[in-house]
Amino acid sequence: MARLRAIFIGNTFISSYSLGKFAPIIVKMKIVILGPGAIGSLWACCLSRAGHSVSLWSQHQCDSIYLQQEHFPEIQFTSNDKDKLTSADLLLVTLKAPKVLPVIERMVLDIAQETIVVLMHNGMGTAEAIDTLLPNNPLVIATTTHGAFRPKPNQVLHTGNGYTELGGYNDGGKRCDFLQPVFEHALPKTSWQTDILTPTWHKLAINCIINPLTAIDQVKNGELSSLKYQEVITLLIDEIRQVLNAEGLPVTREKLVTTVHQVIEATSDNYSSMYQDIFHKRPSEIDFITGYLLQRAKAHNISAPVNQTLFQKIKQIEQDHD
Ligand code: KPL
């Protein structure tokens, strides 16, 4: 039997029509990408090629940005256009976690209540703040394992094929499952999660282990499979598991060990994002990764001394850079 779902977002008509095996029809959305770094630029190119009206919002005040992804034709995006922002159906935030709140705070008056806000970054803790700042906007969380690299300001490379998980954070966001075919059509694979906090916590667990260890020792992810790191990884996993369990996620130690080692293997040739931040003497996302874990550990009266040590080491390195 045919199923027709029709949804209006702002002035845009989104329809998702499925008949037997036919794919959904996705109508053009007005999308602004806030923070077009590597992953934001990749989504900008993919969503634009999928037929959406995409514009960018960058910290570098400029009217237009050219981006070329691999062999595809170069695309000219308008940038920092207030009209595009106020009329956006979707604001895809690909800023790093520490920048999310300060940047959105400055833009708050130009974001319409109907605009769906999607947060896509490593770490946790921003959604609470954005939900308070924009209480009427549908808020969606996204995690992605796609790899992207910007060798030059106008060029983006899709360096690793991954998957994206989306899910609503607030009531409005929970009604946005029609975004799944939009993202899937632009850059597969994408799934809609009714409980997005579970995959987000799992990603946080992985980042709490791989990111600080690789950043402190300045090694590739793959190095963490050597014997030297196994004791500290086991201790970190034990602390993280207790926090996840206290948060209501019934994950076992074995499951976490397997997942972490799978990611180390799959990304063995990667320099983690925290490695790169420390290498380039940029502030890292530690407050939103290990810092968030430690906050939740404290709330549950769980001691996490090994995570605390890594947190302090990264903080010390950042201070030395200052
Ligand atoms: O998410 C990552 C990161 O570098 O931030 C991992 C999964 C560790 C891959 O490098």
Side-chain angles (χ1 to χ4, degrees):
M1 203 173 59
R3 286 190 295 124
L4 176 66
R5 290 190 302 157
I7 302 134
F8 281 92
I9 303 169
N11 299 322
T12 305
F13 169 64
I14 304 282
S15 81
S16 171
Y17 178 66
S18 63
L19 175 66
K21 285 189 185 151
F22 287 99
I25 299 162
I26 299 155
V27 177
K28 184 169 165 171
M29 289 185 85
K30 288 179 276 175
I31 301 173
V32 173
I33 298 189
L34 174 57
I39 206 77
S41 300
L42 176 67
W43 278 103
C45 292
C46 294
L47 287 161
S48 173
R49 283 199 306 274
H52 300 284
S53 162
V54 179
S55 89
L56 309 179
W57 196 279
S58 144
Q59 281 161 295
H60 312 286
Q61 295 289 335
C62 49
D63 299 339
S64 69
I65 294 177
Y66 289 86
L67 283 176
Q68 182 173 26
Q69 185 207 329
E70 272 109 20
H71 59 277
F72 296 104
E74 188 174 63
I75 305 172
Q76 181 182 8
F77 294 94
T78 57
S79 181
N80 297 51
D81 180 332
K82 237 184 197 169
D83 291 342
K84 300 263 186 209
L85 179 62
T86 50
S87 62
D89 301 317
L90 176 71
L91 180 65
L92 174 57
V93 184
T94 51
L95 290 165
K96 290 206 171 207
K99 293 208 170 140
V100 171
L101 186 60
V103 172
I104 297 189
E105 257 170 347
R106 291 200 296 272
M107 301 166 73
V108 76
L109 295 177
D110 297 315
I111 301 173
Q113 288 187 12
E114 298 77 29
T115 303
I116 302 165
V117 179
V118 178
L119 301 179
M120 186 186 276
H121 57 70
N122 272 341
M124 289 176 80
T126 57
E128 291 91 323
I130 297 303
D131 198 28
T132 308
L133 189 67
L134 300 168
N136 299 311
N137 292 69
L139 183 58
V140 170
I141 297 182
T143 69
T144 188
T145 59
H146 283 285
F149 176 54
R150 250 182 19 164
K152 293 189 258 173
N154 294 344
Q155 196 188 6
V156 62
L157 303 176
H158 186 192
T159 51
N161 208 18
Y163 61 88
T164 303
E165 291 174 290
L166 296 166
Y169 180 79
N170 59 12
D171 288 346
K174 287 185 199 296
R175 290 194 289 270
C176 292
D177 57 344
F178 52 84
L179 288 179
Q180 187 273 332
V182 173
F183 279 70
E184 167 74 19
H185 178 229
L187 182 58
K189 289 276 181 191
T190 299
S191 64
W192 180 262
Q193 301 293 335
T194 45
D195 167 23
I196 190 65
L197 290 181
T198 297
T200 313
W201 266 109
H202 279 103
K203 182 82 195 308
L204 189 93
I206 292 162
N207 287 136
C208 280
I209 294 163
I210 299 181
N211 294 32
L213 288 176
T214 52
I216 292 164
D217 287 357
Q218 289 286 286
V219 292
K220 281 185 173 181
N221 294 358
E223 273 294 304
L224 301 186
S225 60
S226 72
L227 199 59
K228 162 179 172 201
Y229 289 100
Q230 300 323 301
E231 191 185 343
V232 68
I233 291 178
T234 306
L235 294 172
L236 288 167
I237 286 179
D238 275 337
E239 294 178 4
I240 295 166
R241 184 194 50 79
Q242 289 180 56
V243 180
L244 264 63
N245 290 167
E247 287 285 319
L249 276 79
V251 63
T252 61
R253 194 175 164 277
E254 291 65 36
K255 168 83 181 130
L256 272 182
V257 170
T258 312
T259 313
V260 167
H261 283 287
Q262 271 168 357
V263 177
I264 290 173
E265 180 98 341
T267 63
S268 60
D269 225 20
N270 276 27
Y271 294 103
S272 78
S273 53
M274 201 172 285
Y275 167 106
Q276 295 179 48
D277 287 335
I278 294 299
F279 181 82
H280 294 290
K281 298 189 170 32
R282 298 186 297 240
S284 77
E285 296 170 305
I286 194 75
D287 286 339
F288 296 82
I289 296 178
T290 310
Y292 187 81
L293 180 97
L294 291 172
Q295 268 176 40
R296 298 311 304 154
K298 194 169 170 205
H300 296 295
N301 258 322
I302 294 167
S303 97
V306 187
N307 280 281
Q308 183 71 47
T309 305
L310 296 189
F311 179 77
Q312 272 155 357
K313 279 191 180 165
I314 295 287
K315 285 285 184 194
Q316 187 59 56
I317 296 172
E318 287 180 347
Q319 249 176 41
D320 294 347
H321 289 165
D322 285 344

